[in-house]
């Protein structure tokens, strides 16, 4: 995908006094977190999850990869919840483990190979089958496939777009709010807001 | 058990410091009562602690897990509940419309739902008082509802891109709009107990906490006032038990703080823990439920959002999110439903926008990346409509324990026929408005917002939990003041009414007890 917004805007703003200390701390931590060995998942599961997340939200070639799967792993390891769960779903830990096994099972049943061995196109077909609750396999008798997909996609989106590098991608600079915003109407831009290339 | 060394009881313990707890805390303290507030959440210093970042600000949300059941399961966490000194007002968007008189008389008007046990005249002066204290910014005159006796203390806030688009679309369809009333300061404002509060700088981050005190959350308004009058606040104090004495009154409140169990003796209890935790606490303690109505009558506003992409740059994080309002749909002509709704323009932060989109549309892969690139060009509009109580919507204790070892609440919610019709009406109308404003790639995010009604107020002890003064029918020294006592959901955002009702509850209590 072509670059829509210039690279480096958020990182440059983070170094200025247009960002508060608390904001800078939060974003810096995210920028500097290195990929960790799994704490909750097995190595196999984490690799599988990473492959899936990269299909759901393709990484940009203009910055290093954002560790979405690692974000999910670390949340589950800390036993953190987002405050609610669909009543017809198992606890988050079981949901992820069952769901990952289910995706591999569906890959086997549909294309005769584990998910990670498949081509991008076949991987996408497996994921679409899960999303539409049409994926084959025993796992999905214990877990609602469409809801698992919704949870996985929403959480992946959350980890990806919370990252300063992803925010650069979409031209978001709302974190640079120390001076406030005066030009807030339609088509009004302040100098520190990046413009989209035509 | 570790006992707090408090041999003499305080006059009142207030549980929860949100929209329902804080105003009452200040009022009781001002009347000279010895009051202690117990608050599960932390006492934040927004200027230092709050980041302008959605993920970092999750600490403001109530994240003890809740189970969402029914056909339209309600999301909680970031969508529905907060914690901290100030409660959910720490992250509310600060829309503060008043209810209209007919909102309180739904049954009289339509033969469905419930009437409130008293009329608009009982709220009006409190609305005014709250608006003046918070420094609400809004237009005077305001185009809908009874004429205001007093102008809003401040003029309206500046209008952002989404607001301008809503004005444009509505104008073409002949729908009246107005700048909205928002509890954020359009100019510096003097606040008793605080000093001058800073004007809003249009950072658009209200839902993640205001760092400059421009938004009237309780921690910069009623809480400092309460402290000034001598109230004591104990943050990070999670209430688990209300202990009855042999006469049937509550004598002690038990709570855990820093992993220790403590206990506070008291003469009165004001339960203000919100419409989920209040009934949960009563059910856990098997209290105040001779009517069997605790947890029943759960309502949630139809809150359908319509989003679209525009040629113009909107940059929807800038400006007060809810800049423009219309109440022309308060009682739509030829409607096939009871009650009505209001229309509001909405700004949005990127993570909220994109996660909502993935849940509603299931967009992923390159399609998602493309939709995300349009973020700076999106704007939204939403409704807030009345919801009827129904037997299938309620809260119960589940068999599953949470991290504190207490049963998780299970909340059933399914939209009834009335909510479905209202939502369909609004869907058609808002799509037309957005089309007229020039939107492309329009999509709908169906949602219900705000949990309401789980400890209903009413005249009849067999169908209500508290009387018209907010006092428990079963336990005379227990009052409830939060979103759970509303007999009907109202067709407006609830916080202003919760605060007004909180002051009324305090005044009724003080009058009934001749100031104790
Ligand atoms: C994102 C978002 C935006 C919103 N925007 C608006 C808006 O624009 N306008 C509007 O009118 N409304 C808005 N609301 C709704 C509004 O914030 C709530 O309706 C209102 O704050 C509810 O008041 P309450 O007193 O019932 O509960 P809360 O304000 O939630 O307060 C309850 C308090 O009790 C504490 N508590 C709970 N259990 C215990 C316990 N066991 N022990 C001790 N303390 C406990 C909690 O920590 C919390 O602080 C919004 C809500 C959300 C989530
Ligand atoms: S928009 Fe205004 S009130 Fe809201 S968070 Fe920003 S400065 Fe505070």
């Amino acid at each position: 995908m072509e670059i829509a917004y210039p690279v480096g805007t958020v990182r440059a703003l983070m170094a200025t006094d247009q960002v508060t200390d608390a904001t800078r701390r939060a974003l810096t931590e995210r920028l500097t977190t290195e990929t960790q060995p799994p704490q909750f998942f097995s190595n196999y599961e984490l690799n599988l999850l990473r492959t899936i997340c990269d299909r759901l939200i393709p990484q940009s070639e203009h910055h290093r990869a954002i560790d979405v799967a690692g974000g999910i792993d670390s949340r589950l390891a800390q036993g953190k919840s987002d405050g609610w769960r669909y009543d017809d779903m198992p606890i988050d830990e079981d949901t992820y483990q069952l769901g990952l096994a289910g995706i591999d099972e569906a890959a086997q049943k549909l294309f005769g190979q584990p998910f990670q061995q498949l081509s991008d196109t076949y991987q996408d077909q497996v994921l679409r089958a899960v999303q539409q609750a049409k994926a084959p396999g025993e796992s999905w008798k214990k877990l609602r496939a469409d809801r698992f997909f919704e949870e996985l996609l929403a959480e992946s989106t959350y980890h990806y777009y919370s990252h300063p590098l992803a925010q650069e991608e979409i031209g978001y600079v709302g974190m640079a709010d120390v001076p406030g915003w005066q030009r807030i109407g339609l088509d009004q831009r302040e100098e520190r807001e990046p413009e989209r290339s035509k | 058990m570790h006992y707090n060394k408090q041999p003499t009881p305080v006059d009142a313990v207030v549980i929860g410091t949100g929209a329902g707890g804080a105003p009452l805390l200040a009022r009781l303290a001002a009347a000279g009562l010895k009051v202690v507030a117990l608050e599960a959440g932390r006492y934040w210093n927004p200027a230092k602690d709050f980041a302008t970042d959605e993920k970092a600000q999750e600490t403001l949300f109530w994240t003890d897990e809740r189970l969402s059941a029914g056909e339209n399961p309600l999301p909680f966490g970031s969508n529905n509940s907060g914690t901290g000194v100030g409660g959910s007002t720490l992250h509310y968007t600060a829309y503060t419309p008043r209810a209209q008189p007919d909102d309180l008389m739904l049954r009289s008007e339509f033969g469905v739902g419930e009437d409130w046990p008293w009329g608009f005249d009982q709220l009006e002066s409190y609305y005014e008082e709250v608006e003046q204290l918070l420094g609400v910014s809004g237009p005077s005159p305001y185009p809908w509802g009874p004429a205001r006796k007093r102008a809003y203390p401040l003029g309206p806030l500046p209008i952002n891109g989404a607001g301008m688009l809503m004005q444009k679309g509505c104008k073409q369809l002949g729908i009246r709009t107005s700048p909205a009333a928002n509890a954020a300061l359009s100019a510096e404002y003097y606040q008793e107990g605080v000093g001058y509060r800073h004007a809003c700088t249009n950072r658009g981050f209200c839902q993640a906490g205001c760092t400059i005190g421009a938004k009237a959350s309780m921690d910069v308004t009623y809480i400092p006032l309460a402290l000034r009058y001598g109230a004591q606040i104990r943050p990070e104090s999670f209430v688990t038990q209300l202990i009855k004495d042999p006469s049937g009154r509550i004598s002690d409140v038990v709570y855990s703080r820093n992993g220790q169990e403590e206990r506070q003796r008291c003469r009165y209890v004001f339960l203000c823990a919100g419409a989920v935790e209040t009934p949960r606490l009563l059910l856990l303690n098997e209290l105040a439920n001779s009517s069997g109505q605790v947890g029943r009558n759960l309502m949630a506003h139809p809150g359908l959002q319509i989003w679209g992409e525009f040629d113009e740059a909107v940059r929807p994080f800038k400006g007060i999110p809810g800049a423009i309002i219309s109440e022309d749909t308060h009682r739509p002509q030829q409607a096939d439903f009871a009650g009505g709704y209001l229309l509001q323009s909405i700004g949005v932060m990127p993570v909220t926008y994109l996660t909502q989109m993935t849940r509603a549309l299931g967009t992923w892969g390159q399609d998602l990346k493309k939709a995300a690139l349009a973020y700076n060009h999106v704007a939204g509009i939403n409704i807030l409509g009345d919801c009827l109580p129904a037997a299938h919507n309620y809260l119960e204790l589940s068999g599953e324990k949470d991290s504190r070892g207490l049963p998780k609440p299970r909340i059933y919610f399914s939209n009834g026929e009335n909510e479905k019709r209202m939502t369909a009406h609004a869907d058609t109308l808002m799509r037309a408005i957005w089309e007229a404003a020039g939107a492309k790639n329009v999509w709908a995010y169906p949602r219900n917002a705000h949990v309401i009604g789980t400890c209903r107020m009413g005249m009849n002890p067999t169908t209500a939990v508290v009387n018209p003064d907010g006092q428990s029918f079963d336990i005379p020294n227990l009052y409830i003041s939060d979103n759970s006592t509303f007999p009907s959901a109202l067709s407006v955002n609830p916080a202003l009414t919760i605060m007004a009702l909180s002051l009324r509850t305090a005044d009724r209590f003080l009058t009934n007890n001749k100031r104790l």
Side-chain angles (χ1 to χ4, degrees), chain B residues 22-344:
Chain B
L24 171 153
L25 183 71
R27 188 67 123 228
L28 298 181
L33 269 63
K34 197 163 185 273
V35 279
V36 168
L38 301 173
E39 166 57 55
R42 289 176 57 178
Y43 206 151
W44 299 101
N45 176 351
K48 267 186 52 207
D49 300 337
F50 288 5
T52 306
D53 178 78
E54 293 173 80
K55 190 177 196 173
Q57 286 308 98
E58 271 164 14
T59 40
L60 300 184
F61 301 128
W62 185 277
T63 51
D64 291 3
E65 194 163 81
R66 296 167 174 170
L67 304 177
S68 300
E71 281 166 32
N72 306 99
L74 297 175
F76 292 94
S78 61
N79 299 288
N80 240 323
S81 45
T83 183
V85 173
S88 302
T89 68
L90 291 172
H91 64 73
Y92 77 154
T93 323
Y95 295 103
T96 40
R98 292 180 175 188
Q100 295 195 31
D102 56 5
D103 277 324
L104 308 180
M105 301 172 63
L106 206 62
R107 177 165 281 278
S108 301
E109 189 180 349
F110 293 98
V112 291
E114 278 304 312
D115 285 351
W116 287 49
W118 32 256
F120 184 79
D121 59 308
Q122 292 288 307
L123 276 182
E124 194 173 13
S125 64
Y126 292 112
Y127 275 145
E128 188 178 301
E129 184 183 340
V130 173
E131 287 163 353
Q132 295 295 321
L133 188 114
L134 303 187
V136 172
S137 301
S140 306
Y142 182 79
W144 300 276
R148 302 175 54 83
K149 296 200 171 119
R150 203 166 162 195
Y152 282 116
L154 295 171
L157 288 154
I159 293 159
N160 60 7
M164 291 163 83
L165 290 165
M166 177 167 159
Q167 285 174 320
K168 180 177 163 192
C170 285
K171 194 167 172 205
Q172 288 190 35
L173 298 182
I175 299 167
R176 280 180 302 167
T177 59
S178 164
N182 280 293
L185 303 176
S186 58
E188 203 180 47
Y189 194 72
Y190 183 76
Q191 174 92 48
E192 195 186 345
V194 179
Y196 279 96
R197 281 170 49 216
H198 200 298
C200 169
T201 57
N202 306 321
R203 8 182 333 270
F205 246 70
C206 305
Q207 284 187 17
C210 186
T211 45
I212 60 170
K215 186 180 79 167
S217 44
M218 295 297 97
D219 60 321
V220 297
T221 54
Y222 280 106
I223 296 286
L225 195 62
L227 290 173
R228 188 178 155 182
Y229 288 121
Q232 220 197 86
I233 293 177
R234 291 186 202 140
E236 296 173 69
S237 298
F238 186 96
V239 173
T240 51
Q241 283 179 70
L242 305 173
I243 310 278
K244 272 205 290 195
D245 69 13
S247 76
R249 294 168 69 90
I250 293 169
S251 59
D252 294 80
V253 177
V254 179
Y255 59 98
S256 75
R257 178 154 71 154
N258 299 325
Q260 293 279 348
E261 196 161 88
E262 299 187 2
R263 158 187 293 246
Q264 175 64 56
R265 296 188 60 206
C266 59
R267 299 170 66 194
Y268 289 89
V269 175
F270 290 81
L271 185 48
C272 315
V276 175
E277 295 308 314
T278 284
R280 181 177 178 226
L281 206 50
L282 293 178
L283 291 173
L284 280 169
N285 285 277
E286 298 177 8
L287 287 175
N289 197 19
S290 67
S291 64
Q293 294 296 303
V294 172
R296 298 266 151 193
N297 309 308
L298 188 143
M299 299 170 279
H301 289 127
L304 181 74
Q305 299 178 341
I306 296 289
W307 294 97
E309 296 171 11
F310 293 84
D311 289 339
E312 298 96 328
V314 180
R315 301 182 199 264
F317 59 89
K318 291 193 285 187
I320 192 84
I324 292 292
I325 191 168
S326 176
E327 296 195 39
D328 270 9
T329 46
H330 180 67
R331 292 290 180 263
Q333 279 172 6
Q334 292 156 3
D336 57 351
F337 52 84
Y341 58 89
L342 54 73
L343 293 160
Q344 287 158 333

Side-chain angles (χ1 to χ4, degrees), chain A residues 30 56 58 158 177 183 193, chain B residues 53 58 203 318 365 369:
Chain A
R30 240 165 274 160
L56 296 180
Y158 158 82
D177 63 341
R183 299 179 50 78
E193 295 182 281
Chain B
D53 178 78
E58 271 164 14
R203 8 182 333 270
K318 291 193 285 187
K369 299 290 297 255

